[in-house]
Structure formats: structure tokens, C-alpha cells
Amino acid sequence: AAEWRRRPALCRAVVARIGFAPLQPYRRAFCTSDSGAAHDGTKEEATQATKPGKLAGSSGSSARPLFALPLYRKPTFPGFYHIVQIADQEILNSLLELKRTGQAEYLGGFMTKSLPEGLSEADIEGEPLVSVPPDVAKKASNAQGNAQGNAQGNAQGSTSNSDQSPSGAGGGASLKPVRRDTGRIESGSELEKIGTMLQVINFTKNQNGPGGQMTVLPTQRIKLLRVLSKPTTEVPLCAVYADPIPDVEVAQDDDIRALHHEIIASMKDLLKTPFMYKEQFEQVIRYYSLDDPLRLADLVAGMSMAPRDELQAVLVESQPAERLRKVLMIVKKDLERARLKSHFKTQLEDKFATEHKKYMLMQHLRQIKRELNLEKDDKQSIIAAFRESIAKLTGVPEEAQKGMEQEVNRLSGLEQQSPEFNVSRTYLDWMTALPWGKTSEDNTNIEKAERVLNEDHYSLEDVKERILEHMAVGFLKGSVQGKIICLVGPPGVGKTSIGKSVARALDRKFFRFSVGGLHDVAEIRGHRRTYVGAMPGKIIQALKITQVSNPVILIDEVDKLGRDYRGDPSSALLEILDPAQNSAFRDYYLDLPVDLSRVLFICTANVSDTIPEPLLDRMEIIRLAGYVFEEKLAIANQFLIPATVESHGVKSEFVEFQPEAVDKLIRYYAREAGVRELRKLFEKIIRKVALSLVRASEETRHRTTVSLENLTKFVGQPPYSSDRLFRDGTPPGVVMGLAWTSLGGATLYVEARGRLPSLSQAASHGTSAAKTADEDRGASASGKSTDELPKSHRPSSGGESRVKVTGRLGKVMNESSEIALSYARMYLREVESPNVFLDEAVMHMNIPEGGTPKDGPSAGVTMTSAFLSLALDRPVKNDMAMTGELTLSGKILRVGGIKEKAIAARRENVGMIVLPMSNQADYLELKPHLRAGLTAHFVDHYDDVYRIAFEGSGAPMLPQSRGRPVQTIVTPATEGELPGALPDQAPIPAEQAVPSPASPGAAALAAPGREELEWLYEQPGAPGSTEASSAVRGWAL
């Protein structure tokens, strides 16, 4: 601009040569210079060009270059003063410099297409841009007396008074943070195409920080034609070329008039609501005229809190009716929003007023009570209540008494609002709620205790007897303590209910909790008080709930304890279940000794193998093997059916179970060790009966009889269709065994199959078919050629047998199969030396029900018998099952689960079982009704197993057994108690029995002569006498 003034001719030449476009940002300075002549024009022409809508210095075109001011929050609308706050100090300084040089008198206001980074829709909601003129705002501010000082706008040397404005016009002295109404952009492409020409009125700096504001007056709508320059570091605004948009003429038709009146009515309704910026809205409405519909539309849009996109749509719209409709929709939304805010505000104020009123009344009431000495301070009353509760406690240990006193003293020094106050208060609540020294009186009548046990449970005589013994010791000592009882048995046999019966028999309180899957030791010993929400463990909770120091606590599922980084709960149970230690049990929360010696602990488990050894050592195991058919039948008739009918609301006269139906339910539907599945079947039947009763009217209801004919209608087809897998006898290679599971005893079959390769196959594999000299002699002595011998007696081809074992067997059982095959090969050479089947055959051994995992050593004798039966092609006895661990020397070792296996044999109608000799004492402990109908052979060596299994089948026999004499126990099928004998009379050992004089004869085996004799033993025969070994027997009382 200075060069133009000094050397105008040279500048005109430069302009003529390079064009005027590079100098567009400085054209305002050229056109409004006070030095005289503008380029190619006079001063008057330049002054005329500064008016909106006409390019300075031009006579024909209406388009003009402008600096574009980006608008973030909302667009500006023509005809009304707007306040634009500028948070960027560099932009404010640049605008002040442009105004000083005369280049910022007019700006182009364009809204950005999108919000800049770091600014959201919620951030742009705020005070409207539309304002009244600065002089009006100043008068209103002075009249109200709320002026905060006029902001002194420093235009860097400019003496214009337009840079000074009161805070009411935008207030640069405001303490509020400056809004981001405008800011930087990268290029002009980020701007909307339609904007407004802004006449800059004044600038105001923020005296409390960076930034400021400017007051502008939008004159008319403009359209962005092209971008002339991008923002730079010196000038942060881009230069654009804009064309004014002519004002729209409004035709006063009915639609325009109706929309105009509706907008005015909506604005009046809006003014009646207590919305934000209501005073500013009223001030603006009062100042500007509302007669022109389009002017009114621009005013309402400028004052609205609508989204920026909707406001831009109003600015762009050129059709008057459509613009009015959009504005009407905006004002309606503003009205609804204001009403909702007013409603919520009223609700909050009402709630606050109610709560405040209640609070004030409570404070007055509390103060009145204090004045009348009717109530002490809350804190003092709490402490007094604790001291009173502690004084009433009896039998509190000295350490616990001191601990409670210290905690009360600590509580008195804490503020009631302190978090520690509530921690101490909760601790004292627990301490004073425990039953220190408070016990219930035990029942000392043993007959009553026995009657209670018999009422709750059928059978289980050994379990009841052991519990009564435990009670009897307690009655004599005066306290029921000592060994911890652990009930081990399959599900559904009544372990938990026995614990309840013990509590009822002793007249004690009962508490049960399960530790199945428990990993956190804090559940047993409690949490330390340093944790938020800490509380004592289950044992202390049991004492608080029962309110006695001697309850019966049942710890369920103790065999399923977990262990992880949070601790080992089994270690925490060691102290609890040890009678020598639990007299001073310390819970982590209480941290004081609690006497648990008077608590009777009863544990339950399905198996004892998974219980940790130190914990198992502190318990006395009582095993519940399960129920036989007769016991299940009695339980069903005496307890399950009446209890199920009563619990389902069905009267007994509407349902009847025939004995045959109950018998079939037990035999073919519920073969588990317990009675839980049987209970479910009865419940299923009763539910169907209840449904039929509800569907029928009271007059047509009839009695439902459950019989064999309609049983499948109620419970479906039986899952067990027959008693045995092989009904007509087992084929060669199949032997029945006895197994123990966590669900009780079970029978299983061991199947062995195989074939010898043909001689041609052996030769094709390069094997030798030469006979040994001994084999030649054996064949010639028999008078048969090699080809005439059975396949199993053919000469060895030099190959090795291959065995495949299936049935989902465990590691121990797989090892048992290898031992069984090795011993079977050796034993086969002894009884039938020409037989090479086990040495060369390809065999496959399988144990059915492959979905069930199986493991354990007790199937050794069964697998060996299966291999020998296959090699000899001889079946074992049909009505026989066996169990026992086998060694490579042929010894039969002790196994477990004799009671469960005997019950399983009876359930499958097996008449003969073979057991290890060392398990004879376990078998004799069984009640007679559990072994009724069973013949048990107790063997020490596999020679006796072989003889018993293959006797009478034509299999070759050894001349003499290498084990001790076989002990055989026969229990008649109708046997309950021995007639004429004491119930607990011990049998005479077989070794001490004197054989009858008639015993050497085989005829003595036909009939014993006396029905009460059940002990039968095997007497060893003379060496070398197979007949004596198999037939000489004696009877003993």
C-alpha cells in the first residue's frame, strides 16, 4: 500500500503485467487509502465501493474478495448484531491488525462443514450469537447496575472508539471462559458454500486471559465462488471470492401469513417457560421488529439452540415458505426442549425441597429431644449400647473381653462420618452377636436318639450304631466331642440327612455349608479387616446364626475342595477339625480365640481318595455303600411315596401304587446306589397325577392306580431292559467282574477275542514253521499229524501275539491287562503246554460301556480268566463274578469296596462271587441280609480261581493248588438273622473247624443237614489228588 501511494504508475504497470489476483488480500487497503487516488478511480468511487454488495473500485461486478471467518457453533443471519468470541489470540491479533490497516471492515462468515478435532456437539451448545447493538447493551447494563467494567479494546494504536464496548455487548471483562466460536482451518474447502457478509463493529479483548470477542452485523447472504488464498502464519484467515445473494421478495399470501403467526405464537409460548438465556431472548425480541416474516425467521434461527446443520439449512433455503416451515420446526423443538427441562427442574426442586424439609425437621426434632434429655447424641448412644451388650455377655475369654473394650475405646475417639467408625461398629456388632459360652442342653436319652435315627432312616444299622456309640461316649464324658465323623458314600444314600438326624437326636441346632469347589481360604477363616466389606468365615457365621456354642455343623462335599493362589481351604480345616486345636480357633476377621471344642463336626464326601491325607487322618470314616432291593422297597413304601404325595398337594386317596409297579421301578428304572433317582421317578408320576386331577372337575376326579400296565405311560420305557448282558450264559472269553465306583458298586464284563494267523500267512511273513523235537514227539505220541491238531495246538510259527485293549481304561487298569496276559501265557503252558494261542494270536480285549472311565487293579483276575477262557475255548461258570488284584506270581491281593460289590452282585442276581482271601473279614462284617443268596469263595492264589471258574467245563486242571485252602461262605437266600444264634455271634474260623466224619464222601455236599449252618470251608486234599482237592469239604458251626 505504501509503494502504491509513492509510485502509482509503476504499480499500475506491475498490475497490468501480472494481474491483480496476487494482490487480492491487500485490495481493501488500495481501495480505501486516504492518500488520494485509488487505482483507476477517485476517492469517491473508493468510498462507494466499501458499501456491502459492491466491489470497491469496480463499476459493473457485484462479486468481491473477502477474508473468510470460519464459524464453528452456528451460522450468522443477516440484519442482527452477533457476538463472535475468539479463543485463539493469534486470530484476534490478526483481525485487529487487518482492521487497523482498513482490511477487516467486512468479512465473510462461513460455517465449517464439520466440527474441528476436540470439539463436540455438546461443547457448542451455549449462549446464542444474536445480540442487541452495543450502545443498547451498554444502557441496559448501566440501568441494571451489573456492569463489570468496560473492556478497553486496544487496536494497536488506533484511536477509533469502535474498539471499546461494554461487557453487555459481549463483555470482554467476563470471568467466563472464552467460547470457541471461530478458529483455524486448513483450507477454504472446509467452509460451507453459503454464508453472510459481516460488518465488523468493534473488538474487545479478554482482560482475564487470551482471546476476546468482536461484534459484527451480518448484512446479507453471500455465496462462496472460489478460494483465493490459504491461511498463512502471517494471516490465519483464507481469502475467498464471494458473490452477494439478492434478498427474497415475500408475497403476503395465506401460507406465509399463517406460518408467520404460528412462529410468533410459538415464541410467546417459549418466553413463558423458564429456559436458559430467557432474559437475552426477551431483550432481543423487544428491540427488533417482528413484522417482516423472513426477518423474523432469521432472528428466531439466530437465537435458537438447534443443531448447526438445521440452522445452516435455514440459511441456505431460498424459498420463503419453506424457510418459514423449517424455522417453525426449530422453534417447536426448542419449545419442547424447554418444557422438558422445566419439568425436570421442577421435579428436582420438589425432591430437594422435600428432602431438605425432612432434614430440617429431623434436626429440630433431635434438638428438641436433646433439650428434653430424651435422646443422647447418636455416637454416644451407639457406644452406650455396645457397652451394655458387652456387660451382658457371659463366658467371654479374657483376651476377647479386652479386645472388645479396646475397640469400644477406639470407637469413641473416631468421628461418626469417618469410614473407620463404620468398620469398628461392624466389628463390635459381630463380637457382641456371638454366643459366648451359650449352649443348648443335649439329649442324654439314648433310646430317644435311637428312635429319632430310626424314624429318619431305614436300614444303615452300622452307621446308626457308630453314631450311637459316639453319642454314648459323649453322654458319659458330658460333652459330645472326639473324632470327627466323615460320612463317605455315593450320592443319594442320605449323608446330609443323617447329619440333620444327629442334630435332632441330640436336640442341637443344625448348620450346613458346602465346600465343594471352594478355593478362597477366607470363606473358612474370614477376611482381614483391612479389606473393604470384610466379614468372618463360615464357622463364625454358623455360631452367630445358631446362637449357641455347641451346634452340629455339617461340612458338605469335603472331597471337592479346591486350591489356588488364594490359599488352601483344606489347610484351614485342619485346625477346625482337630479337637486338640479348635478350642482356641482364630478367625482372621475377629483375630480373637473362639472355642469350637463343643461343636460337633460332621463331614460328607463321595470318595475318600481326594481328601487330603492330613485332613483324612483327623476323621473317622463311616461308609454308606448304598441300598439293596429290599431296602429300597421299604424306603419307597415307608417314606418316599407318602412324602412325595404330600409335597405335591395330592391327597392319598387319589393315587395308589401297586407293589408290582414299585418293584419294577426299583429293578429296571433306578439301579443307582441311593434313592435320589427313585424319588425323581415318584415325583414325575405324582406330577402327572396332579395334572389329571386339575384338568378334571371335582365331580369326575377318580383314583389313579399305578400298575405294570400303565407304568410306561408315567415314566416311559425302562433304561435297563434285562438283568444281564448275556442272559443265556457267557461265551468263551467273557467273564463277569465286580467294580467299585463313586456311585456305588457295579458289575462289568471283560470280553476277549482273537485269532491265530494261518500257516501260509506265517510263512509269507518269513516265520519258521519247523517243529521242535518235543513237539514232534507230542504229536506222534497222540497218533495225530500236525494238520489234524486244533489250531491252538499247532506248532509255534515264531510270531508274537498282538493285544489291543479298549474301554476307556486308566493307567493302572492298562497295566493290569499286561500283567494278566503275561501270567495267562505262563499258566497256559502249565495246564496245556501245546496251546500257543496266547503267544501268537492277534487279540482284542474290551470292557463295555466305553463312555465310562475305568481304572483300578481289581480286574486282574477277571482279565486273566478271560484270556484263559479264550485260549482254552471253554466258558466260565454262568452264575459267577470275581474281583481281585493279581501278581505275576499268581497271588490274589486285597481290594476295596467289598460291600458295594456284594450289593452289586445281589442287584444283578449273581449267585457266586470270588473274592481275595484278605477280604474275608470285610465280607463277614456285612449284615446277613446284604449277602443273602450269595456264595462267596475266598482265594489266595489264582490256581483256586481257575479251578472254581472252569470246574466241570472239561478244561485241564493242575494236580494241586499253590495257595492256602479256599474259604467258602454260603448264605441262604431267606437268611436274615441266624436262627437260634446271637446276632453278633462270631463264626468259627475255618482253620479251627473240625470236619464231619461223613465229609470225605461227595454225598455230604448234597445237603448240609441243618439249615442254620452257613460256614463252609474247603479242606486241602492229599498231594497229587485232584478229586480230594475239589470234593473233600467239611461243615462247621
Side-chain angles (χ1 to χ4, degrees), residues 389-397 401 404 434-438 549 598:
S389 299
I390 294 173
K392 292 180 180 179
L393 296 177
T394 58
V396 183
Q401 187 75 28
M404 286 189 283
L434 292 180
W436 300 97
K438 183 180 178 182
S549 298
R598 287 172 287 187

Side-chain angles (χ1 to χ4, degrees), residues 735 823-824 826-833 835 838 861-862 864-877 880 882 886 890 892 912 914 937 939-962 966 1026 1029-1030:
V735 181
Y823 185 78
M826 294 185 294
Y827 198 85
L828 186 61
R829 294 191 189 103
E830 295 179 2
V831 296
E832 196 173 46
S833 57
N835 195 329
L838 296 181
V861 295
T862 312
T864 305
S865 301
F867 282 130
L868 291 174
S869 175
L870 176 64
L872 297 171
D873 197 22
R874 297 287 189 274
V876 299
K877 290 182 179 178
M880 184 185 69
M882 60 183 67
L886 179 68
I892 310 299
M912 180 190 302
V914 179
H937 299 282
V939 296
D940 177 63
H941 196 274
Y942 185 76
D943 292 348
D944 302 312
V945 179
Y946 177 83
R947 181 181 55 78
I948 295 172
F950 294 100
E951 188 176 18
S953 64
M957 296 287 177
L958 291 179
Q960 184 178 357
S961 173
R962 285 166 284 193
V966 177
T1026 307
S1029 176
S1030 61

Side-chain angles (χ1 to χ4, degrees), residues 944-1020:
D944 302 312
V945 179
Y946 177 83
R947 181 181 55 78
I948 295 172
F950 294 100
E951 188 176 18
S953 64
M957 296 287 177
L958 291 179
Q960 184 178 357
S961 173
R962 285 166 284 193
R964 290 189 294 168
V966 177
Q967 304 293 322
T968 303
I969 300 178
V970 181
T971 306
T974 58
E975 188 72 24
E977 295 277 341
L978 285 177
L982 294 176
D984 296 330
Q985 182 177 355
I988 301 175
E991 291 80 358
Q992 301 177 8
V994 180
S996 171
S999 61
L1005 301 177
R1010 293 181 59 186
E1011 295 179 356
E1012 65 269 15
L1013 302 182
E1014 71 167 358
W1015 304 104
L1016 173 66
Y1017 75 96
E1018 184 84 19
Q1019 185 178 13

Side-chain angles (χ1 to χ4, degrees), residues 35 180 338 577 616 666 708 756 767 792 816 871 878 893 917 945:
S35 61
R180 290 180 62 186
L577 300 181
L616 190 64
I666 298 173
L708 289 176
L756 279 172
T767 60
S792 60
S816 296
N878 183 29
L893 301 184
M917 182 73 73
V945 179

Side-chain angles (χ1 to χ4, degrees), residues 140-162:
S141 178
N142 293 335
Q144 294 176 0
N146 296 327
Q148 300 177 0
N150 296 333
Q152 302 297 327
N154 185 8
Q156 299 186 7
S158 175
T159 59
S160 174
N161 293 332
S162 64

Side-chain angles (χ1 to χ4, degrees), residues 805 808-820 845 847 854-860 863 884-886 895:
V805 181
R808 200 176 178 185
L809 309 185
K811 181 179 179 181
V812 177
M813 208 163 184
N814 274 311
E815 293 177 352
S816 296
S817 67
E818 296 175 5
I819 295 172
M845 186 177 69
I847 299 180
K854 309 170 189 70
D855 202 2
S858 63
M863 293 178 176
E885 181 179 359
L886 179 68
V895 295

